Amino acid sequence: MNMLRSMGVRALALPRPFKRALVLALDAGLCVLAVWLAYYLRLGAFVSIDGDVRQPVLASIALALPIFVFTGMYRAIFRYSGLPAMLALARAMVLYTLSFGAIFTVFGVDGVPRTVGLIQPMVLLIFVAASRIGARVWLGGLYHDRLRKSALPRALIYGAGNAGRQLASAMANSPEIRVVGFLDDDDRLHGQLLNGLPIHPPEDLARVLRKTGATDVLLAVPSAPRFRRNEILNRLKAHKVVVRTLPGLSDIATGKVSLSDVRELDIDDLLGREPVQPHRLLLQLNITGRTVMVTGAGGSIGSELCRQILKSRPKTLLLVEISEFALYQIQQELQGALLKAMADDDGDLEASAREFSGQTSIVPLLASVCDERRMDSIMRAWRPSTVYHAAAYKHVPLVEHNPAEGVRNNVWGTLACAEVAKRNGVKNFVLVSTDKAVRPTNIMGATKRLAEMVLQALAESAPGSRRTGAEPLQARTCFSMVRFGNVLGSSGSVVPLFREQIRSGGPVTLTHPDITRYFMTIPEAAQLVIQSGAMGTGGDVFVLDMGQPVKIIDLARRMVELAGLTVRDESNPNGDIEFSITGLRPGEKLYEELLIGDNPKPTQHPRIMKAHEHFLPWEMLQQRLTELRAAVDANDVPSIRAQLQQLVSGYQPSADVVDWVHVASQAGAAREAAGRGLGGA
């Protein structure tokens, strides 16, 4: 079957005149075969093609080929042989039968039985019709496949190693993309063939793109370090090609690569720096064999925390989430991942399922972190040793438009969880914070800094400072917080937004051309949180050495170029994607910082620093929080902003209050006042 397919592909690739010559030769052979078979049917014995037998053979060829040409049979395309082709064949065979029968049956030729003049045209009709139908069956599907493949996007694979070879094999019959060659840096491979495809030097990429019409480049270099991948990306971005990649070696350890493994560029590739490598001991120290709680477990950071925690096999993992759908999603994912990992370990899924309850228990819990009674019930029932507090409102504009709820959730949610943890003997309480807490210009950043101050004050105060009821005094809880920059790939990240805008043809929206941010990936952030919590001694603020901040417009431009497109601007008015500057949003600032002071101290992790920053003692902070709570309950936004400004060092709110409720209430009051004025007039 493969041989026939290969022969068909080669036949389709032949020039048209050569293909017509082959068909003429085929029909001539069928004429000879038909005469030979006609003699057998007449005489009951096979005869050799010599003597008198040559006369009907030569006559058949001399009559059939001109008639076939005259009636247009060779203008019909074999692979499309249908009713029109059959009608042309019928006309040709009528003319042929009349001519051949007149010669050998009506008039007669010495040495040739007259019945041959009738039998041979019927046999020839069967042979020629069968050849056309066979060609349709044999070549028709191949031609359609060829047309389909020629219409597919063409791709070059960068990397002619094992991963590249496996990828080319997996994509040989892909309905989505067609591989037309390889690129590789090894000059010993240049000019060679791999899986029948040529290997080109990357320096010839422009020529190869013109020759092959390739529009995509698939990176198959999973073992290359980050700096090498960035060198390749910088080389490719000068050409209008879409760049996609394979996962790392750990993801293809099975030795098999499939088309589904090809994906858009990793966010790590867009960052252009090596991710922070975790310390395995720090990851496991507060998790393995223990009961661990994650609040906000269905969010971007919370869900990744759960995935990382599960790898270290806790005894119990408590998932606390206010969103029912988000909680269901992360519970199903984690249970599936755990069962799969255990089945991979011993190859027996049923045995793994039996062992499941004895190894790790995943408990989904619907709860609001602001509900202190509910949180107390949960911690009292399971007594977690470590709590990772990721529940928070983090979207800057939304919190700016809903400041009272932002304060309630981010500050009192943290306070409620921290005090409950303290009462129930939690050993480690880790707050997920943000770089926006440093000299904030928005409510979200100010609330996160105030949440940090709450934990710092609780860490300094005596255990059980707000203990209520008859609970026994518990061991001191170690409070720490982890501050990091923007997380790429999260629900509010610019990367998925930019990708969708580029996919839709633009424009790509930017709030300001000079805006910069620190970036990290979700797994990197989650690992940092876990490791920092393991190093906490009480009241610590951990920050990551994240290198240089990234200019958002440069990130967007890199994404456009690696999608095979160009930016439309003054220097390139014919570009593909336009950038649209929308202006800074409420509470947004151009630059972010990680430290309030200038006194970071090193830790045992080379990329994690520790800062001891100024905060109010618990007695003083508690009084100020009571005043702030009254303003929050009354939704007195100007008072909320004023009190946050007094509490949080460096907080500079924007000039206007943009709280939706406050603005609507002010507008309503103005309309009522105007109405009363008109009534009085």
Side-chain angles (χ1 to χ4, degrees), residues 82-133:
L83 182 60
M86 292 299 107
L87 290 176
L89 174 60
R91 288 194 299 269
M93 290 309 301
V94 167
L95 290 176
Y96 174 79
T97 302
L98 292 175
S99 302
F100 193 82
I103 295 172
F104 293 99
T105 301
V106 177
F107 296 105
V109 175
D110 292 338
V112 178
R114 289 180 181 271
T115 51
V116 169
L118 298 176
I119 297 173
Q120 195 270 352
M122 290 188 288
V123 175
L124 183 61
L125 171 63
I126 294 171
F127 283 171
V128 174
S131 70
R132 271 44 176 183
I133 294 172

Side-chain angles (χ1 to χ4, degrees), residues 475-495:
R476 184 182 181 89
T477 299
C478 177
F479 293 105
S480 58
M481 54 231 77
V482 186
R483 188 186 293 163
F484 49 79
N486 292 265
V487 179
L488 289 176
S490 66
S491 56
S493 168
V494 296
V495 168

Side-chain angles (χ1 to χ4, degrees), residues 243-258:
V243 183
R244 287 187 280 175
T245 186
L246 279 177
L249 281 177
S250 60
D251 296 324
I252 55 174
T254 57
K256 295 180 180 179
V257 178
S258 67

Side-chain angles (χ1 to χ4, degrees), residues 34 36 44 83 95 120 137-138 225 246 276 321 325 328 436 458 466 510 519 625:
W36 181 68
L83 182 60
L95 290 176
Q120 195 270 352
V137 173
W138 178 38
L246 279 177
V276 178
E321 173 61 54
F325 179 66
Y328 172 77
K436 292 176 176 60
L458 288 176
R466 287 189 69 213
L510 302 159
F519 283 116
L625 289 177

Side-chain angles (χ1 to χ4, degrees), residues 530-549:
I530 295 170
Q531 293 172 93
S532 300
M535 293 188 292
T537 57
D540 308 289
V541 178
F542 293 100
V543 296
L544 172 66
D545 178 8
M546 299 178 68
Q548 296 300 313

Side-chain angles (χ1 to χ4, degrees), residues 154-168 171 177 179 181-185 202 205 215-237 239 241-249 251-252 257-270 272 499 558 561-563:
R154 302 183 179 191
L156 296 166
I157 296 178
Y158 200 116
N162 289 333
R165 184 174 65 254
Q166 292 172 26
L167 180 59
M171 299 177 68
I177 201 165
V179 178
F182 291 89
L183 298 168
D184 201 278
D185 298 313
L205 180 57
T215 57
D216 294 60
V217 173
L218 310 179
L219 293 185
V221 285
S223 61
R226 182 68 55 211
F227 76 88
R228 178 61 191 136
R229 292 167 71 89
N230 278 301
E231 288 179 358
I232 296 172
L233 292 177
N234 288 331
R235 175 183 291 172
L236 294 177
K237 74 178 184 179
H239 306 275
V241 290
V242 178
V243 183
R244 287 187 280 175
T245 186
L246 279 177
L249 281 177
D251 296 324
I252 55 174
V257 178
S258 67
L259 181 60
S260 61
D261 294 319
V262 178
R263 61 195 185 195
E264 294 186 72
L265 286 172
D266 289 337
I267 295 171
D268 298 7
D269 294 316
L270 298 176
R499 277 181 176 154
R558 187 175 179 87
E561 291 170 344
L562 294 175

